[in-house]
Amino acid sequence: MSGTFLIASGKGGVGKSTLAAGLGAALASLGSSTVILDADIGLRGQDALLGLENQVVYDLLDVISGDCELEQALLPVPRVSGLWLLPAAQFARARALDAKSLRRVIRSLRTEHDFVLIDCPAGIERGFRNVANTGICEPILVTSPDDISMRDAERACSILQEKTEGRPRLIVNRLNADLVHTGEMYSAETVAQTLDCPLLAEIPEDPLVYRALLRHTSFMQLDCPARQAVIRAARRLRGEDVPFPHLGAARSSLWQRLRQLRVREVPSLHDL
Ligand SMILES: Nc1ncnc2c1ncn2[C@@H]1O[C@H](COP(=O)(O)OP(=O)(O)OP(=O)(O)O)[C@@H](O)[C@H]1O
Ligand SMILES: [Mg+2]
C-alpha cells in the first residue's frame, strides 16, 4: 500500500507534528519509503523533531520557486533508513504556498516514494486550505478527546469534505485509559462516533513522548505505549487489519502503569 496523507486538526497543539514524525518513522521501518512534508510555513517543527534542525539548507518554497531541485531539499532522517524530510520555510507566510505548486511537488515525490505525510498547519485558515485544496491527499484528522478539540475538528472536517470524498480517518491522541475507564474521558470510539469518522488510531497520553524530546530523541526510539500505538496506525495505513486495543475498556494493571514509568530503548520497530 502507498498514499499521500494530510495530517490535520482544527485546534492547534493536539499532536499533528509528533504523530506525523512517528508515523513516518514507523512506515519507513516497516519498509515503506516515506517523506514527511512540513507544510507549516513560518512555524516549521519537523526539522527539530527529526534531529535535522542544523541541516536545513533548502526548503519547500525553494523547490516551488525553482531555486533548487527537489532532491537538494530532501533530507535523509538520521537513524531511520527510508525516511526523508522536505522542510518548510522558516521565514515566510502561508500565502507563499499555492495548491497547484504543492500538488506538483507531491506528485513528484510520489514517483519515488511510497508514502508522503503532510504535516499541516493548525486551524482552518490559509495554510490549511492550501494543502486541502490540492485535492490529492487523504485526510487524517487528529483530535484529543475533549469537547473543544472535537468541535474544532468538526470544522476542519467539513472543509476537508468539500475537497475529498468521504469522512477523514481519525486519530484520537492523548487518551488516558484510566480516565476513560472511570467515564471521565471520552473513549476513542465515542469520539469517532461523535465526529462520524472512521477510527485510524487511539494513542495514549505517554510521558515518554516528552521525555524523548528532553533527550533530543524521538519516542519512536523508546519502548513505550505511544510508539506501539503509532506502529499499529502505520500498519493500518499499509493496509493491514490491525485490531484496536480499545484503551480504557479495562482498567490498566498496576504493572502496566509502572511499566510506563520505565525508559527502555529499542533497536527495531518490527517487534510488535
Ligand atoms: N500522545 C502524547 N503523549 C504525550 N505528549 C504528547 C502526545 N502527543 C503530543 N504530545 C505533546 O504535545 C505537544 C504538542 O504536540 P505537537 O507539536 O505535535 O502538536 P501540533 O498539533 O503539531 O501543534 P501545532 O498545531 O502547533 O502545529 C508536544 O509537546 C508533544 O510532545
Ligand atoms: Mg505542528
Side-chain angles (χ1 to χ4, degrees), residues 9-20 40 43 46 49 119-123 142 173-175 203-210 213 219 226:
S9 69
K11 189 174 177 300
V14 295
K16 294 178 296 299
S17 301
T18 304
L19 296 177
D40 203 350
L43 288 171
Q46 283 297 343
L49 277 174
D119 183 6
C120 232
V142 181
N173 189 23
R174 308 196 79 155
L175 284 154
I203 314 284
E205 169 76 27
D206 190 335
L208 288 192
V209 173
Y210 177 70
L213 276 181
F219 70 98

Side-chain angles (χ1 to χ4, degrees), residues 4 30 37 50 67 126 139 144-145 160 168 172 181 192:
T4 301
L30 290 166
L37 188 160
L50 298 170
D67 286 345
R126 183 135 184 190
S144 39
L160 288 168
V172 184
H181 186 73

Side-chain angles (χ1 to χ4, degrees), residues 44 47 52-59 75 85 87-88:
R44 75 178 180 211
D47 54 324
L52 287 163
E53 63 268 56
N54 297 322
Q55 291 182 45
V56 179
V57 179
Y58 297 112
D59 57 52
L75 297 170
L85 170 67

